[in-house]
Amino acid sequence: MDPRIREHAEIIVNHSVDVQRGDNVRISAPPLARDLVIALHELLGERGAHPSLSLRDSAATRAYRRAVDPEDLECPSHVLAAAEETDVFIAIRASENTYETSDVDPEVTAAFGQAYKPIQDEVMGKRWVGTQFPAPGNAQDAEMSTEAYEEFVWNAITKDWDAQREFQQQLVEILDPAETVRIKSGEETDLTMSIAGNPTVNDYGEKNLPGGEVFTAPIPDSVEGEVLFDKPLMAQGREITGVYLEFEDGEVVDHAAEKNEDVLSTVLETDDGARRIGELGIGMNRDITAFTYNMLFDEKMGDTVHLAIGRAYEETVGEDNEGNDSAVHMDMIVDMSEDSFIEVDGEVVQRDGTFRFEDGFEA
């Protein structure tokens, strides 16, 4: 076995979810991630934890969602019961074909998300991590050889996370006491929001592996302006490009996309919270050096900002504030590498992708 797989597993068990003796651990993974699953089971055995394995198969997901009547979808009580008895969730991604579910009706996918929301809420309240095992389908999306993609993935994952935490903490200390944030990029993006009273989270490889972002939640009705997400994203097995959103009083009042606008429209109609922003994230992982059509990595890139329509993470909502609730959480990225700045309480803290605490910053 590649020693990097063992190291990947050790980071998950020891750092990301801190598995303890006696923990009930659920691993959800596709067959392509078999080697990482084996390494995890070995470590869990050494730790005295109790693993269960859930096989995930995108072709099976496609078959079910194409066959099911959305009216029949409801929260499966046996899956919810298993989630309630689980202490730690480890979700592993690895794809043969990232477009496998591209011919599933977006309305079915939205209905599925609504039905499974109680399970998702249960998972979010536990220790959990999502990570990537390098696989040919993901390498193709990244336009890399399988070997080059392996190097890319493990460079981003097997790093000094304590040092990354310290680097990111500098931005946390700027955002935590802040009132307002403005994001300006080119002629198309000029967005303001209040984050007053909402905590800022330092993501250094815990819930997401790789980590490498700082994120918080806006006050739901405070978002004003317009934003062009100039990086593409994959949603419901389809590529969406050129997403444009306009906000008034925190709500999307106009939207467009260059490609697959129907998918975007369906997501926005999922529920009331789907038309509001649940997350503001700022990428800070300088070891992610290429855009790969994989949001787990792309949103962590230095020189990017991402916003998620839908659910706000509970830990980013202040005690006296209201969080945005939704069955969806869809991240979208703005490239901040040129003709861009982030302004916090009227002061520029990043210009053209460089933070004020980094060399080369120009006020």
Side-chain angles (χ1 to χ4, degrees), residues 181-248:
V181 176
R182 180 186 180 197
I183 299 163
K184 180 76 169 67
S185 182
E187 297 299 319
E188 302 89 356
T189 295
D190 195 349
L191 204 65
T192 60
M193 66 194 72
S194 170
I195 60 170
N198 279 348
T200 305
V201 175
N202 188 341
D203 167 29
Y204 52 100
E206 294 180 306
K207 291 180 171 61
N208 284 332
L209 188 63
E213 65 169 302
V214 164
F215 64 96
T216 187
I219 305 300
D221 62 359
S222 73
V223 183
E224 296 283 347
E226 57 185 353
V227 54
L228 175 67
F229 297 99
D230 45 12
K231 291 292 189 183
L233 69 143
M234 293 293 295
Q236 302 183 3
R238 304 186 191 185
E239 180 189 31
I240 309 178
T241 61
V243 172
Y244 168 83
L245 301 178
E246 183 179 348
F247 291 87
E248 291 181 6

Side-chain angles (χ1 to χ4, degrees), residues 206-314:
E206 294 180 306
K207 291 180 171 61
N208 284 332
L209 188 63
E213 65 169 302
V214 164
F215 64 96
T216 187
I219 305 300
D221 62 359
S222 73
V223 183
E224 296 283 347
E226 57 185 353
V227 54
L228 175 67
F229 297 99
D230 45 12
K231 291 292 189 183
L233 69 143
M234 293 293 295
Q236 302 183 3
R238 304 186 191 185
E239 180 189 31
I240 309 178
T241 61
V243 172
Y244 168 83
L245 301 178
E246 183 179 348
F247 291 87
E248 291 181 6
D249 298 324
E251 187 173 355
V252 175
V253 294
D254 191 18
H255 71 276
E258 294 173 359
K259 182 178 181 180
N260 284 321
E261 184 176 324
D262 61 322
V263 178
L264 174 65
S265 299
T266 300
V267 171
L268 289 170
E269 293 302 320
T270 301
D271 50 39
D272 290 342
R275 303 187 73 86
R276 296 181 181 274
I277 295 292
E279 179 192 359
L280 162 65
I282 301 171
M284 300 185 72
N285 189 332
R286 298 296 189 192
D287 286 319
I288 300 176
T289 56
F291 183 81
T292 60
Y293 284 87
N294 184 334
M295 193 60 70
L296 183 63
F297 291 80
D298 297 339
E299 69 175 8
K300 313 299 192 321
M301 291 179 68
D303 309 347
T304 65
V305 162
H306 60 276
L307 299 166
I309 51 174
R311 183 181 61 253
Y313 294 118
E314 185 176 345

Side-chain angles (χ1 to χ4, degrees), residues 2 15 47-48 59 86 159 170 186 240 270 275-276 307-308 313 353-354 363:
D2 191 315
H15 173 74
R47 188 61 59 90
T86 301
K159 60 184 293 175
Q170 297 173 94
I240 309 178
T270 301
R275 303 187 73 86
R276 296 181 181 274
L307 299 166
Y313 294 118
T354 302

Side-chain angles (χ1 to χ4, degrees), residues 98-120:
T98 57
Y99 289 86
E100 188 64 56
T101 59
S102 62
D103 53 0
V104 174
D105 187 335
E107 293 185 3
V108 174
T109 300
F112 189 87
Q114 287 180 304
Y116 272 68
K117 186 176 182 297
I119 298 169
Q120 188 66 23

Side-chain angles (χ1 to χ4, degrees), residues 4-32:
R4 295 173 297 182
I5 297 174
R6 171 78 182 194
E7 186 177 359
H8 189 170
E10 289 173 344
I11 292 172
I12 291 170
V13 170
N14 298 328
H15 173 74
S16 298
V17 288
D18 188 25
V19 174
Q20 302 295 312
R21 183 175 302 278
D23 277 345
N24 293 327
V25 182
R26 182 186 177 191
I27 302 171
S28 172
L32 283 169

